[in-house]
Amino acid sequence: MSETIIKFGILGCAEIARKVGRSIILAPNATIVAVGSRSAEKAARFAADNGFPAGTRAYGSYDAVLDDPEVDAVYVPLPTSLHAKWAIQAARKKKHLLLEKPVAVDVAEFDGIVEACVASGVQFMDGTMWMHHPRTATMKEFVSDERAFGKLRAMHTCFAFAADPDFLENDIRVKPDLDSHGALGDAGWYCIRSILWGNDYELPKSVTALRGPVLNKAGVILSCGASLYWEDGKVATFHCSFLSHLTMDITAIGTKGTLQVHDFVVPFQESEASFSVASESGFNELVTGWVTKPAEHIVSTSLPQEALMVKEFSSLVGAIKAGGSQPEMKWPIISRKTQLVLDAVKLSIKRGFEPVEVVG
Amino acid sequence: MSETIIKFGILGCAEIARKVGRSIILAPNATIVAVGSRSAEKAARFAADNGFPAGTRAYGSYDAVLDDPEVDAVYVPLPTSLHAKWAIQAARKKKHLLLEKPVAVDVAEFDGIVEACVASGVQFMDGTMWMHHPRTATMKEFVSDERAFGKLRAMHTCFAFAADPDFLENDIRVKPDLDSHGALGDAGWYCIRSILWGNDYELPKSVTALRGPVLNKAGVILSCGASLYWEDGKVATFHCSFLSHLTMDITAIGTKGTLQVHDFVVPFQESEASFSVASESGFNELVTGWVTKPAEHIVSTSLPQEALMVKEFSSLVGAIKAGGSQPEMKWPIISRKTQLVLDAVKLSIKRGFEPVEVVG
């Protein structure tokens, strides 16, 4: 393949940029050419420590990355409160935008980002890696199979991990001025996205936060949940937390089948991932056992999901660069819906767990 | 063992009485001596069809079973609306009481049943079979292990099955005058019990029904859910339904570990049952995989869980009959707590999804 190689600049030296940096190197149609930090020295050390390609330019500012004419696209893993500023600047400078999740402080701010991307004709995609694992497509086939799964009725999703005391005190994800969504933005984002994914991105009619969220002294969410429902009777719940043991589940229940996965955000291992399905299960005659048990499916992948994300993004960017293609709007649209639900959960907590209508 | 053999009478020929009848025969310390129905002929046919012991007396009324002096204990699988009448009569006639779940129309009615049992000194137990599987005890060891599981933070449980059109039209479980709790009583009962089980039977502070329950024309619940929370920050949700594919999950998340089981009410197979646990899981350095994956545990059982239920009940009855033992109050106490939460879910639905304080 003589596909265009998309040249990335990275804004900042966040921990997550190590994983995504590796994935840009692994993706066959992408490479890293620049990294910027508040100090050029730090950027250079980050590039060296993480095996970035020889010749990667290390800049002492984010602006310098955006001004580098060779940079096609930027990966932005900055704290959420800085997303709008830097994402909009990047778009204005015609840089395609791979933006870490949660995408914005609220949907109004996100709309500003999308507007800037549209005005400049650049591709937008958020950093929700699991969307790009081939397992996700295989699971989607199952839940879309009317014969095997029927119609979706209920979902429950969960992403929790036990943050250590240092994280709970000092991480940017517990600071109201940096990542104000806390566990809802960091972990709940995935839960919300998976629920929307299961519902073919149909927004729920209403979102109600569950009683009993845990906030820190600054009001940042450390643990919360919500219930969602759709006009046609579908329901969903999720739970996200920094305060309990690593758990990442999707359960999707249709009229005829059930899907279960226990490592949806980060698969247990990189080269393959599994999920289980059951279809038209029932009991034996005396109800002393099941006549069909759930079956496990294993999906292999030659590239890690984050490299597939970069590959997909770069492929879209390549098509735009080659001329003739417009940015794929699916990606900002599902980011926006995820943010809309996230905003609704926060508003519902603020309103004392009243339901919040979601208007797309 | 020269343990007393407890002689059972069965009130009615419900479908579930076939399974429990078999389990009474399987239990080493129990046998069936009588079955009553509205017609003696039907009772006799039921006994013959289900291999009840030769000599089982077939009566044309429930009263005749209660008046049979050889009957030590009765198993009552009647519709919920008839529980109070027949359970109280049974207790007054000094029959020990194995009562099908849901135990009563409401907790006030259940208190009448317990009062009658206490006054007569008879044992009470409800028919929640999974409590008696050795897997349940093994799972309890895990969630009680401070080192491996830490403190419980969140639970989600689900029991759904796809009832066929005939069930949804004609089954007693969709009739307001028979089993007025619908899916909440039939399936949600197990969800509530499992949440209480995980919480060492500590009642939640409040229960809030989730928006989007499905009721039939008569107002009987076909599908619903609720969220529960405890003063100390623990939370739980559950979903129960007659309208979606067979699913029966417990997820219990502690500060240090996670428990998962996908067949908690009726194990996939009779002779063994599994569950999975993860403890102090974390990611590898680049967050591209888990350093410890959940591990599956398999627990074998020589008797099916319902026979172990009968055995436990009969053992308690035997100790009372032998003299010196009082009825074990653990069983009516946990039945009552389950009913209290069930009542709260119904009240919350009635009140438009307002939270209901649970007062024990």
Side-chain angles (χ1 to χ4, degrees), chain B residues 10 14 19 89 122 169 202 223 263 277 288 294 308 330 335:
Chain B
I10 297 177
K19 178 176 180 178
Q89 280 202 43
V122 297
E169 195 62 42
E202 185 196 337
S223 169
D263 60 349
V277 304
T288 58
L308 292 170
K330 168 193 171 181
S335 302

Side-chain angles (χ1 to χ4, degrees), chain A residues 15 18-19 22 50 149 153-156 158-162 206 208 210-214 223 227-229 233-239 241 243-249 251 253-258 260 262-263 266-270 276 278-283 285-294 304 306 353-355, chain B residues 15 18-19 22 50 149 153-156 158-162 206 208 210-214 223 227-229 233-239 241 243-249 251 253-258 260 262-263 266-270 276 278-283 285-294 304 306 353-355:
Chain A
E15 189 63 23
R18 298 177 57 218
K19 179 177 180 177
R22 169 176 175 263
N50 291 291
F149 185 73
R153 296 284 318 168
M155 286 186 79
H156 178 73
C158 172
F159 183 14
F161 61 88
S206 88
T208 311
L210 304 180
R211 280 158 206 274
V214 180
S223 169
S227 85
L228 296 76
Y229 91 96
K234 291 191 301 272
V235 292
T237 46
F238 76 83
H239 175 70
S241 181
L243 303 176
S244 49
H245 179 258
L246 182 55
T247 308
M248 39 173 85
D249 292 345
T251 302
I253 313 177
T255 48
K256 294 182 182 174
T258 302
Q260 304 257 13
H262 293 302
D263 58 349
V266 176
F268 294 133
Q269 58 199 85
E270 203 168 63
S276 99
S279 193
E280 306 215 53
S281 299
F283 298 120
E285 205 249 335
L286 262 189
V287 194
T288 58
W290 295 40
V291 285
T292 45
K293 288 170 60 175
E306 56 276 15
F353 314 103
E354 284 301 303
Chain B
E15 189 63 22
R18 298 175 59 218
K19 178 176 180 178
R22 170 177 175 261
N50 291 291
F149 185 73
R153 296 284 319 169
M155 285 187 80
H156 177 73
C158 172
F159 183 14
F161 62 88
S206 89
T208 310
L210 304 181
R211 280 157 206 272
V214 180
S223 169
S227 85
L228 296 77
Y229 91 94
K234 291 191 303 269
V235 292
T237 46
F238 75 83
H239 175 71
S241 180
L243 303 175
S244 49
H245 180 258
L246 181 56
T247 308
M248 41 174 82
D249 292 345
T251 302
I253 312 177
T255 48
K256 293 183 183 174
T258 301
Q260 304 258 12
H262 294 300
D263 60 349
V266 177
F268 294 132
Q269 58 199 85
E270 204 169 64
S276 98
S279 193
E280 305 214 54
S281 298
F283 298 121
E285 205 249 334
L286 263 189
V287 193
T288 58
W290 295 38
V291 286
T292 44
K293 290 170 59 175
E306 57 275 16
F353 314 102
E354 284 300 303

